Amino acid sequence: MVKSEMAKPLLDRDIGASTPLSVLSCGDTIGILGSGDFARSLAARLLYSGFRVVVGSRNPMRSAALFPADVEVMSQEEAVKRAQVMFVAIFQEHYSTLSALSDVLCGKTLIDVSNNPEISVNRESNAERLAALFPQCIVVKAFNVVSAWALQSGPKDGNNQVFICSDSPDAKSRVASIGRSMGFIPVDMGALCAAREVEQIPLRLLPLWRTPCALALGLFAFFYLYNFVRFVLHPYLQENRNTLYKLPLELMNVTLPCVAYVLLALVYMPGVLAAIYQLHNGTKYKRFPAWLDKWMLRRKQMGLVSFYLAALHAAYSFCLPMRRSARYQILNDAAKQVRNNVTSVWVEDEVWRMEIYVSLGIMALGILSLLAVSSIPSVANSLNWKEFTFIQSQLGFAALVVVTLHTLTFGWRRAFDGSRYKFYLPPTFTLTLVLPFIIILARVILLLPCINAKLLKIRRGWEKNKCVTFTAPSADCAEGSSNV
Amino acid sequence: MVKSEMAKPLLDRDIGASTPLSVLSCGDTIGILGSGDFARSLAARLLYSGFRVVVGSRNPMRSAALFPADVEVMSQEEAVKRAQVMFVAIFQEHYSTLSALSDVLCGKTLIDVSNNPEISVNRESNAERLAALFPQCIVVKAFNVVSAWALQSGPKDGNNQVFICSDSPDAKSRVASIGRSMGFIPVDMGALCAAREVEQIPLRLLPLWRTPCALALGLFAFFYLYNFVRFVLHPYLQENRNTLYKLPLELMNVTLPCVAYVLLALVYMPGVLAAIYQLHNGTKYKRFPAWLDKWMLRRKQMGLVSFYLAALHAAYSFCLPMRRSARYQILNDAAKQVRNNVTSVWVEDEVWRMEIYVSLGIMALGILSLLAVSSIPSVANSLNWKEFTFIQSQLGFAALVVVTLHTLTFGWRRAFDGSRYKFYLPPTFTLTLVLPFIIILARVILLLPCINAKLLKIRRGWEKNKCVTFTAPSADCAEGSSNV
Amino acid sequence: MVKSEMAKPLLDRDIGASTPLSVLSCGDTIGILGSGDFARSLAARLLYSGFRVVVGSRNPMRSAALFPADVEVMSQEEAVKRAQVMFVAIFQEHYSTLSALSDVLCGKTLIDVSNNPEISVNRESNAERLAALFPQCIVVKAFNVVSAWALQSGPKDGNNQVFICSDSPDAKSRVASIGRSMGFIPVDMGALCAAREVEQIPLRLLPLWRTPCALALGLFAFFYLYNFVRFVLHPYLQENRNTLYKLPLELMNVTLPCVAYVLLALVYMPGVLAAIYQLHNGTKYKRFPAWLDKWMLRRKQMGLVSFYLAALHAAYSFCLPMRRSARYQILNDAAKQVRNNVTSVWVEDEVWRMEIYVSLGIMALGILSLLAVSSIPSVANSLNWKEFTFIQSQLGFAALVVVTLHTLTFGWRRAFDGSRYKFYLPPTFTLTLVLPFIIILARVILLLPCINAKLLKIRRGWEKNKCVTFTAPSADCAEGSSNV
């Protein structure tokens, strides 16, 4: 058996021995068909990972200059003969150009790295097409989620997983091993038909953000319309006052915090529901309903959208006094005050109310910004579980409480002021308070010693009824600092 | 000896050979006792890392569905028989349930991954208890700092270290090797009694942030009280003027920058002290006093708290003109101006002072925000040592100078205005200037060519007196771009 | 041949076998000459990576306490005898002190890890000097880009590359293998003379940021001067009005957005030029001119500078109403309004204009902040190619459009108002609009179906003329989600 250099870490006794080490690529030989951006980056990465690399090109003379010096560029046929495992780094529409190689390819392992430009449902995967074209080869789908750029700069956190599928477990094992050597984390996706799913992965656009963003948009539309009726339509119909100028800025500024507030409440709702569910079933081993699982997995995104809208609300608020409208109103009020011969318009109550709610608003944004920062992947990775939970769960809940106080100070009296109920519609802030109130109340109840103790017991594995019909537990990520 | 498949990277000559590769798990067999979240994530990670995995469960039928298909789930006894190394992934309170396995476990290596829900001092560690229960086994404490979630998503920067301790160096070496294969960085913590410390690690809550936060809180309390006396108590006692409404916002807004400013000065103080210490001792090889070491290690956190408070100060300042109190004051002033028949209240001096100090304030915050961004781990990692030092040390010091100018412009004249000395207390900003002034002065002196040259010489290893009693040097992280 | 323990993952059949495992360091022996910070961190990292480590010190007694217990500290001569590969972790100026070791060093591989304190052009590298001193040794330059601190905390994203060069491919291969074992990604830089370049790498200061920052400074100087002439010089010369107080804040606030806007346009310009270039040449395989390549590689930095200046512009704007000058103007205007007996100064048009452009400005900053956040390395790494392109290319272009609308709303009417042409100079914002307008127009034209289809075809490899003289393609990172 030929000795694998790669597995052998620096044996200093080897110097001067009879089997000299080759150049930097000291491992086995991997082949690449193709000479595009991806092929070149792949060749370099394989080389740095300790493999020998041969490239098969239709025009070896022209291509050789594109590759690192240690890569051997040759005709496609020669390359196939040299390596047992071939990366197929050409566009899917050109697969048929390989048919001339059918004979030499026989028995080889082909790695399909291709992607499609568009998501297409109910279509055969590229990898399956390749397998159909070369039935004597073993086809493995892998590395399609890796970009040429990621290959160049080396695998990184967050994009270091490669998804592998094939009908041959052996071939899958080999390719997984190559991936590991290159610094990637291989993930087994099963048989080759899974390539349909694997090929969709790099075409997905922020899947976890869709629901939170749609929710935010829906809430925005609702609250903007609601505020339009109260602040623009009502004055126009009742007092014939034109306040359309409020549309671009003031209406935005009262709508954004409503959406942010409701979204923040929705971040802490599934935790409460999960606790109730676990208490009701007396076990943590009963799987949550799918919608609750999905909701829990999107809490981070919902929280970040909430923070984003709250920050926009702050920016809009900061701009209020710089507007022409604010200036004109002050000037007119001053003129009016002089006409009415009033010395002081100071209203102590109004002053206090505003000083307090502005201060609370800044504090809430300050706390939320800590949550946002701790959501940056590299910051989150530097925290242990207890720290992450403290920030995301406890500080986050504190933010919800401070926002509630901010909202209450803003409009407490208005809730009981009949003149604020325009067209019988309650003030907007009263509407937004309902959900957060319920959630804060539920959290307080769950913290009562008798209930909390039972919940902790359940989360450490206790079960009300050991004979309960078993269903697989969900990945209960949000709770418990202790392993197991 | 059985050949280890894992160490063998893709040998392409093997295809069709007589020793076929197994399924994706091509390495040695590792056992896991337990079927909770951690056990499941661990099984998957071991599998992806190339090991064969057997799981021992009290209810193999029920548990099998929870694990990846390539994991073999069996009775605890069978699993123990199959593997030499067993992860014990059950809660510490259930360790005694394993006593029935005493015989089969004899001679095996047990990896204790457990954590406690609370920090408890002077207690035996879980790992020591396990070792006491199974004296015929070799117990290794490891992987307790890794969460189920981190196992699922793969080791990442910042949480890729695993702390290992055991009384058996051999077993430690084995477990370290497993950890390396899984992508973690093993750190040897010594004998098994070190498990007490290792079990505390995941229970710690932001240890590096405690002193800076406590310091900030202390300074905040002091300055808030000081400002309360000057801005609220004094007007009330001397002029019977009620300015309590300033408590929630204005007092916050004058207190926050004081704390931020003093904290920023404290970030650059230990560097100055270290330089003086090194100059005084004529060597860099004399260890700094412990308090100075501790202080230097918390500079980043102090700087970030300072930036955070400065940003809050900015937000409070942006809100000043939107308040009712500001509006009422302008209206009343306008009425007064009209009554007094004054055409223009323009004071050129006051205009200039404010335009300059607002502009300087924004610049200081702008510079500090660069420091904050470069403190994000993944940004810091993308900088070389020289770049990081330039931003954190030079830009940061520039920020200190700009903040000092901001403070001086704000209050220069007030420092010499007797009426500002309420109850003989100097204006707050005068107080805050003391420390930064000393530090800026000291840095300027240290930059004098004669002193700077000596310091550089010392930092490149020169020693005043080679015969000085030797003590271990501290990790002098802040200085010197050159290695060695 | 001695069995390498490191390559051998946990062989559970070994327990009790006749070849006992050594302590945690189960690999081959690596030597280190030196006992400074770097030597100590290196020793620990090598140990954790599974090597045996011997340290050669001039004073082994004194140094032993500084190293981990598993590291053997001995005289330099003994250490050299024990290991085949020696790290030379001493300052370059002390290389000559090793000359006594000449004989024992004969035939060994020396790894030069040294750095210089300053960039120096046309100088021999440290590694070449070492090679000249010890002609019987094989010298490899490596690990100089790694700081002692990075060794301590383990290799991380962004600083996990080590650049290796040597005249001996074998030695390079060995050192690359050590680097891989330590978790670094070795990059082959060629022969030993490349050490000159390798030694410069850690001395470079933000090379990619230089041009964008210089550009921003140049544009700032130009626009500040232009605005000075229009807002300060013109009123003074024409109306003898002193508006010098505008220098620190108002002039900053009108200059910053001009620079930010032009920079943002320059981010999207090279993409347009590249498309035109590819359409003109009918192939993507013709290399872009060097200046275009350089420009494309700095787009991220230019965009971030643009966002930074836009954020400063926002902060300056938020501060406008809090200034004394704003207060005095309102008071004087109120007094004037009363004197003139005007009831309302409301100008509906002006109100609308400002509400809209403030709102658009906040939206633009909001979008740009998403781009900035997605530029944080660990966030970028968590996005797939399609997501990254969507945010950086599509959202970014949307920001450019919104900023254009913000600018237009701000000053549309002024462009056609003769009185705004001071000294025949057009209003500043009119000037800034030129470039963005051209770019937006060009992007719209490129999106026309006939042109877009051809461009897509070219980017998937189609060539107008297959016989065109071939030149190496540039790394076209910005385009195309599909691999290959």
Side-chain angles (χ1 to χ4, degrees), chain B residues 360-377:
Chain B
L360 286 170
I362 295 174
M363 282 176 203
L365 192 68
I367 302 177
L368 283 178
S369 69
L370 296 180
L371 272 85
V373 167
S374 78
S375 297
I376 296 173

PDB file of all heavy atoms in Angstrom, chain B residues 360-377:
ATOM      1  N   LEU B 360     -17.151  68.679  17.896  1.00  0.00           N
ATOM      2  CA  LEU B 360     -16.100  67.853  18.507  1.00  0.00           C
ATOM      3  C   LEU B 360     -16.707  66.594  19.133  1.00  0.00           C
ATOM      4  O   LEU B 360     -16.123  65.503  19.051  1.00  0.00           O
ATOM      5  CB  LEU B 360     -15.348  68.648  19.579  1.00  0.00           C
ATOM      6  CG  LEU B 360     -14.382  69.712  19.059  1.00  0.00           C
ATOM      7  CD1 LEU B 360     -13.896  70.589  20.210  1.00  0.00           C
ATOM      8  CD2 LEU B 360     -13.192  69.058  18.360  1.00  0.00           C
ATOM      9  N   GLY B 361     -17.872  66.753  19.741  1.00  0.00           N
ATOM     10  CA  GLY B 361     -18.524  65.602  20.356  1.00  0.00           C
ATOM     11  C   GLY B 361     -18.846  64.532  19.330  1.00  0.00           C
ATOM     12  O   GLY B 361     -18.613  63.336  19.545  1.00  0.00           O
ATOM     13  N   ILE B 362     -19.378  64.967  18.190  1.00  0.00           N
ATOM     14  CA  ILE B 362     -19.720  63.991  17.137  1.00  0.00           C
ATOM     15  C   ILE B 362     -18.453  63.317  16.616  1.00  0.00           C
ATOM     16  O   ILE B 362     -18.420  62.102  16.392  1.00  0.00           O
ATOM     17  CB  ILE B 362     -20.495  64.690  16.001  1.00  0.00           C
ATOM     18  CG1 ILE B 362     -21.839  65.177  16.532  1.00  0.00           C
ATOM     19  CG2 ILE B 362     -20.691  63.753  14.826  1.00  0.00           C
ATOM     20  CD1 ILE B 362     -22.628  66.002  15.551  1.00  0.00           C
ATOM     21  N   MET B 363     -17.390  64.117  16.445  1.00  0.00           N
ATOM     22  CA  MET B 363     -16.129  63.515  15.972  1.00  0.00           C
ATOM     23  C   MET B 363     -15.617  62.468  16.953  1.00  0.00           C
ATOM     24  O   MET B 363     -15.199  61.382  16.567  1.00  0.00           O
ATOM     25  CB  MET B 363     -15.070  64.599  15.814  1.00  0.00           C
ATOM     26  CG  MET B 363     -15.242  65.416  14.561  1.00  0.00           C
ATOM     27  SD  MET B 363     -14.001  66.736  14.539  1.00  0.00           S
ATOM     28  CE  MET B 363     -14.799  67.892  13.457  1.00  0.00           C
ATOM     29  N   ALA B 364     -15.668  62.802  18.253  1.00  0.00           N
ATOM     30  CA  ALA B 364     -15.178  61.855  19.261  1.00  0.00           C
ATOM     31  C   ALA B 364     -15.985  60.564  19.204  1.00  0.00           C
ATOM     32  O   ALA B 364     -15.430  59.461  19.210  1.00  0.00           O
ATOM     33  CB  ALA B 364     -15.273  62.483  20.650  1.00  0.00           C
ATOM     34  N   LEU B 365     -17.316  60.698  19.109  1.00  0.00           N
ATOM     35  CA  LEU B 365     -18.157  59.505  19.032  1.00  0.00           C
ATOM     36  C   LEU B 365     -17.846  58.724  17.763  1.00  0.00           C
ATOM     37  O   LEU B 365     -17.817  57.484  17.764  1.00  0.00           O
ATOM     38  CB  LEU B 365     -19.639  59.912  19.051  1.00  0.00           C
ATOM     39  CG  LEU B 365     -20.611  58.763  19.268  1.00  0.00           C
ATOM     40  CD1 LEU B 365     -20.478  58.212  20.674  1.00  0.00           C
ATOM     41  CD2 LEU B 365     -22.049  59.197  19.014  1.00  0.00           C
ATOM     42  N   GLY B 366     -17.594  59.457  16.668  1.00  0.00           N
ATOM     43  CA  GLY B 366     -17.240  58.793  15.405  1.00  0.00           C
ATOM     44  C   GLY B 366     -15.970  57.971  15.545  1.00  0.00           C
ATOM     45  O   GLY B 366     -15.910  56.824  15.096  1.00  0.00           O
ATOM     46  N   ILE B 367     -14.952  58.535  16.200  1.00  0.00           N
ATOM     47  CA  ILE B 367     -13.699  57.776  16.373  1.00  0.00           C
ATOM     48  C   ILE B 367     -13.932  56.576  17.288  1.00  0.00           C
ATOM     49  O   ILE B 367     -13.509  55.464  17.002  1.00  0.00           O
ATOM     50  CB  ILE B 367     -12.588  58.683  16.950  1.00  0.00           C
ATOM     51  CG1 ILE B 367     -12.355  59.893  16.037  1.00  0.00           C
ATOM     52  CG2 ILE B 367     -11.303  57.891  17.105  1.00  0.00           C
ATOM     53  CD1 ILE B 367     -11.322  60.859  16.583  1.00  0.00           C
ATOM     54  N   LEU B 368     -14.640  56.814  18.397  1.00  0.00           N
ATOM     55  CA  LEU B 368     -14.885  55.724  19.334  1.00  0.00           C
ATOM     56  C   LEU B 368     -15.664  54.591  18.670  1.00  0.00           C
ATOM     57  O   LEU B 368     -15.459  53.421  18.979  1.00  0.00           O
ATOM     58  CB  LEU B 368     -15.651  56.226  20.563  1.00  0.00           C
ATOM     59  CG  LEU B 368     -14.828  57.004  21.586  1.00  0.00           C
ATOM     60  CD1 LEU B 368     -15.720  57.490  22.723  1.00  0.00           C
ATOM     61  CD2 LEU B 368     -13.709  56.136  22.160  1.00  0.00           C
ATOM     62  N   SER B 369     -16.555  54.941  17.736  1.00  0.00           N
ATOM     63  CA  SER B 369     -17.333  53.880  17.082  1.00  0.00           C
ATOM     64  C   SER B 369     -16.417  52.985  16.245  1.00  0.00           C
ATOM     65  O   SER B 369     -16.659  51.785  16.117  1.00  0.00           O
ATOM     66  CB  SER B 369     -18.453  54.475  16.226  1.00  0.00           C
ATOM     67  OG  SER B 369     -17.904  55.142  15.120  1.00  0.00           O
ATOM     68  N   LEU B 370     -15.327  53.549  15.691  1.00  0.00           N
ATOM     69  CA  LEU B 370     -14.360  52.721  14.960  1.00  0.00           C
ATOM     70  C   LEU B 370     -13.701  51.720  15.903  1.00  0.00           C
ATOM     71  O   LEU B 370     -13.505  50.550  15.564  1.00  0.00           O
ATOM     72  CB  LEU B 370     -13.288  53.596  14.308  1.00  0.00           C
ATOM     73  CG  LEU B 370     -13.769  54.554  13.221  1.00  0.00           C
ATOM     74  CD1 LEU B 370     -12.603  55.350  12.675  1.00  0.00           C
ATOM     75  CD2 LEU B 370     -14.450  53.788  12.103  1.00  0.00           C
ATOM     76  N   LEU B 371     -13.360  52.191  17.111  1.00  0.00           N
ATOM     77  CA  LEU B 371     -12.767  51.286  18.094  1.00  0.00           C
ATOM     78  C   LEU B 371     -13.742  50.179  18.463  1.00  0.00           C
ATOM     79  O   LEU B 371     -13.358  49.012  18.589  1.00  0.00           O
ATOM     80  CB  LEU B 371     -12.385  52.044  19.363  1.00  0.00           C
ATOM     81  CG  LEU B 371     -10.994  52.658  19.380  1.00  0.00           C
ATOM     82  CD1 LEU B 371     -10.971  54.003  18.727  1.00  0.00           C
ATOM     83  CD2 LEU B 371     -10.500  52.739  20.804  1.00  0.00           C
ATOM     84  N   ALA B 372     -15.013  50.571  18.636  1.00  0.00           N
ATOM     85  CA  ALA B 372     -16.015  49.575  19.023  1.00  0.00           C
ATOM     86  C   ALA B 372     -16.161  48.523  17.933  1.00  0.00           C
ATOM     87  O   ALA B 372     -16.184  47.319  18.212  1.00  0.00           O
ATOM     88  CB  ALA B 372     -17.354  50.261  19.297  1.00  0.00           C
ATOM     89  N   VAL B 373     -16.245  48.977  16.677  1.00  0.00           N
ATOM     90  CA  VAL B 373     -16.410  48.019  15.572  1.00  0.00           C
ATOM     91  C   VAL B 373     -15.195  47.092  15.491  1.00  0.00           C
ATOM     92  O   VAL B 373     -15.334  45.883  15.292  1.00  0.00           O
ATOM     93  CB  VAL B 373     -16.626  48.761  14.235  1.00  0.00           C
ATOM     94  CG1 VAL B 373     -16.493  47.826  13.059  1.00  0.00           C
ATOM     95  CG2 VAL B 373     -17.996  49.422  14.229  1.00  0.00           C
ATOM     96  N   SER B 374     -13.995  47.651  15.697  1.00  0.00           N
ATOM     97  CA  SER B 374     -12.800  46.809  15.595  1.00  0.00           C
ATOM     98  C   SER B 374     -12.672  45.873  16.798  1.00  0.00           C
ATOM     99  O   SER B 374     -11.778  45.038  16.835  1.00  0.00           O
ATOM    100  CB  SER B 374     -11.546  47.668  15.459  1.00  0.00           C
ATOM    101  OG  SER B 374     -11.177  48.192  16.698  1.00  0.00           O
ATOM    102  N   SER B 375     -13.551  46.002  17.785  1.00  0.00           N
ATOM    103  CA  SER B 375     -13.554  45.069  18.911  1.00  0.00           C
ATOM    104  C   SER B 375     -14.438  43.858  18.660  1.00  0.00           C
ATOM    105  O   SER B 375     -14.397  42.903  19.422  1.00  0.00           O
ATOM    106  CB  SER B 375     -14.029  45.770  20.184  1.00  0.00           C
ATOM    107  OG  SER B 375     -13.152  46.801  20.529  1.00  0.00           O
ATOM    108  N   ILE B 376     -15.279  43.908  17.616  1.00  0.00           N
ATOM    109  CA  ILE B 376     -16.067  42.730  17.259  1.00  0.00           C
ATOM    110  C   ILE B 376     -15.083  41.627  16.890  1.00  0.00           C
ATOM    111  O   ILE B 376     -14.206  41.843  16.056  1.00  0.00           O
ATOM    112  CB  ILE B 376     -16.996  43.047  16.067  1.00  0.00           C
ATOM    113  CG1 ILE B 376     -18.010  44.119  16.466  1.00  0.00           C
ATOM    114  CG2 ILE B 376     -17.701  41.788  15.575  1.00  0.00           C
ATOM    115  CD1 ILE B 376     -18.856  44.610  15.310  1.00  0.00           C
ATOM    116  N   PRO B 377     -15.206  40.438  17.524  1.00  0.00           N
ATOM    117  CA  PRO B 377     -14.161  39.425  17.324  1.00  0.00           C
ATOM    118  C   PRO B 377     -13.798  39.181  15.848  1.00  0.00           C
ATOM    119  O   PRO B 377     -12.620  39.158  15.505  1.00  0.00           O
ATOM    120  CB  PRO B 377     -14.772  38.172  17.960  1.00  0.00           C
ATOM    121  CG  PRO B 377     -15.699  38.691  19.000  1.00  0.00           C
ATOM    122  CD  PRO B 377     -16.238  39.987  18.470  1.00  0.00           C
TER     123      PRO B 377
END
